[in-house]
Amino acid sequence: MLRPSPRRWVIDLMAVAVSVADMGVAMWTNELGMSALAIACVVGAVVGVLVRNDHPLIGFVLTLPAVGIVGALAAPAITLFAVARHTERVAVVALCVVTSAVMASLSEPLPQPDRAYEVAVALAYFTAGAAAPAFFGRMTRLHHALRRRLDEIDDIHAHERQLYAQTVLSRERAQIGREMHDVVSHQVTLIAVRAATILVDPSPQRARTEAETIRGLAVSTLEELRHLVTLLRASGGSSSDTSTAPQPDMSDLRALIDNSGIDVRELGRLPTDLPGAWQRTIYRMVQESLTNTRKHAPGAEATIRYTVEEPAHLVVTITNSPAQRPALALPGAGHGLIGLRERAELLGGTLTAGPSPDGGFTVTLALPVVSVNQSKTERRRK
């Protein structure tokens, strides 16, 4: 059991002091002596006030003789306040109010029966005097219930914010995982293909050239992986380094195509005012398509076509010709195309992939045409 706090002791002592003082005044006013009955009323009232919080109904019953015999009102009012505060049933509180009013009327001389209005006024006075502490007790109970409810709501909101933060972190990590897959799959495939050419043509000049290319690809891969690991740590809250390198966009497409080792032909032009998310999606789509071409169709050529179709859809199509030599046995699980479909769906577009009639492979990305200014306006509206 919990020990009473000092604050509760102080309140109890003040309540006892007020009750004793009120009973002393009532006994002096009514010219009651220090009889055994009067002393019993005082003791019962003091005990009732002390036990009112733990046993409110018992405390109230112990104070009833004080109001009925001595005419003291403080002790019954204090215990009635406790009954209204700690008792859930309103009927019990109403019964206590009526009982207190009846007991209070016994200590006062009743008006003459032929003067009905005086009887009504006296009953109203006694009832109001008993109902006042009960009313404040119910208000205190309601106040504490509202405070508990508000605390519960705050806890629920805090839990919801925590869940939302975890959801955001999960989405960020999933996006970083897709970025990591795209980078590693593309760069490592190029490294594997370049290394295989040394086995085909082991001449010193060719080996030196390919070794330099492999070294450059490895350095670039390590830099991108270091950047993605930094983002992953920052999203987990375990690192204070939140610096980020620029994300790839359409300006990096030329370098990506030149370093792919594939004969690529570009047809059409991309809009120049596309948001960053659109540019990154197109870049990753070209990167993944060229990677798959190097994996599964060695020696093939690729064609990239940019078109704007009605109603306001940007379509990027990459088609590669059939393989010219046997493909290398490189691992692949198809996660790249899955990640690209997710990127396209997040932007309101679609991505389709499948074999072409001539034996090659075609990947088509369709996105709604959105300018940078339009994207900013939509974000502000949200």
Side-chain angles (χ1 to χ4, degrees):
M1 296 180 63
L2 297 177
R3 298 180 60 184
S5 63
R7 179 174 177 270
R8 178 173 172 179
W9 279 115
V10 172
I11 295 176
D12 287 346
L13 291 176
M14 293 178 60
V16 170
V18 171
S19 300
V20 172
D22 179 61
M23 284 186 290
V25 173
M27 292 171 63
W28 180 75
T29 303
N30 296 330
E31 298 180 355
L32 295 176
M34 297 299 293
S35 62
L37 182 59
I39 295 175
C41 292
V42 172
V43 173
V46 171
V47 174
V49 170
L50 290 176
V51 302
R52 72 190 186 282
N53 290 317
D54 299 324
H55 307 283
L57 290 177
I58 295 177
F60 173 72
V61 172
L62 291 176
T63 58
L64 287 179
V67 66
I69 298 174
V70 180
L73 300 177
I78 293 173
T79 55
L80 188 55
F81 173 88
V83 170
R85 178 180 175 183
H86 297 289
T87 304
E88 183 177 358
R89 300 179 61 181
V90 179
V92 175
V93 178
L95 179 61
C96 292
V97 170
V98 173
T99 304
S100 179
V102 172
M103 295 298 294
S105 65
L106 296 178
S107 63
E108 297 290 338
L110 294 178
Q112 296 297 325
D114 57 343
R115 307 182 69 177
Y117 73 95
E118 292 184 2
V119 176
V121 170
L123 290 177
Y125 171 78
F126 293 136
T127 303
F135 173 79
F136 286 113
R138 298 305 291 183
M139 291 298 101
T140 304
R141 178 183 176 84
L142 179 61
H143 171 71
H144 286 283
L146 290 177
R147 286 186 57 184
R148 287 193 299 269
R149 182 57 180 166
L150 289 176
D151 292 339
E152 292 176 359
I153 293 175
D154 290 340
D155 293 339
I156 293 173
H157 287 173
H159 184 62
E160 290 178 350
R161 287 192 295 268
Q162 184 180 5
L163 292 178
Y164 177 75
Q166 292 176 355
T167 303
V168 172
L169 288 179
S170 298
R171 292 177 180 174
E172 290 180 354
R173 290 184 176 183
Q175 182 177 358
I176 293 172
R178 289 193 295 267
E179 296 281 348
M180 190 174 294
H181 170 271
D182 295 339
V183 171
V184 173
S185 177
H186 177 73
Q187 302 288 70
V188 174
T189 298
L190 292 181
I191 292 174
V193 172
R194 295 289 186 178
T197 58
I198 299 178
L199 298 177
V200 176
D201 184 6
S203 62
Q205 182 63 31
R206 182 61 179 271
R208 185 179 299 106
T209 302
E210 296 296 339
E212 291 178 356
T213 303
I214 291 173
R215 180 181 180 278
L217 291 172
V219 171
S220 175
T221 302
L222 288 176
E223 289 179 352
E224 292 205 45
L225 285 178
R226 187 179 298 111
H227 165 62
L228 291 175
V229 169
T230 301
L231 288 179
L232 190 59
R233 288 177 176 174
S235 68
S238 59
S239 174
S240 59
D241 183 12
T242 58
S243 61
T244 57
Q247 293 292 310
D249 54 26
M250 293 185 302
S251 63
D252 300 313
L253 279 177
R254 187 70 264 166
L256 175 67
I257 294 173
D258 293 340
N259 293 329
S260 65
I262 302 175
D263 186 8
V264 179
R265 181 177 56 171
E266 292 185 274
L267 301 177
R269 296 180 60 183
L270 285 170
T272 59
D273 193 22
L274 288 177
W278 272 250
Q279 297 187 37
R280 287 192 295 273
T281 300
I282 295 172
Y283 179 92
R284 294 305 184 191
M285 181 257 195
V286 174
Q287 184 184 58
E288 180 67 20
S289 299
L290 295 181
T291 299
N292 291 335
T293 301
R294 292 301 300 263
K295 277 186 180 180
H296 308 296
E301 298 178 352
T303 301
I304 304 177
R305 182 176 288 104
Y306 310 110
T307 57
V308 177
E309 299 180 353
E310 296 295 335
H313 268 75
L314 170 65
V315 180
V316 181
T317 304
I318 302 180
T319 305
N320 62 268
S321 60
Q324 302 300 313
R325 55 179 182 270
L328 297 173
L330 296 176
H335 296 304
L337 292 177
I338 295 176
L340 289 176
R341 288 193 181 95
E342 292 179 356
R343 290 173 180 268
E345 291 174 358
L346 290 175
L347 300 180
T350 59
L351 184 133
T352 58
S356 55
D358 61 353
F361 199 82
T362 301
V363 180
T364 303
L365 172 68
L367 297 175
V369 177
V370 178
S371 65
V372 175
N373 294 332
Q374 182 180 353
S375 178
K376 292 180 178 178
T377 302
E378 291 178 354
R379 285 199 299 270
R380 283 196 297 267
R381 289 177 179 176
K382 294 180 180 180

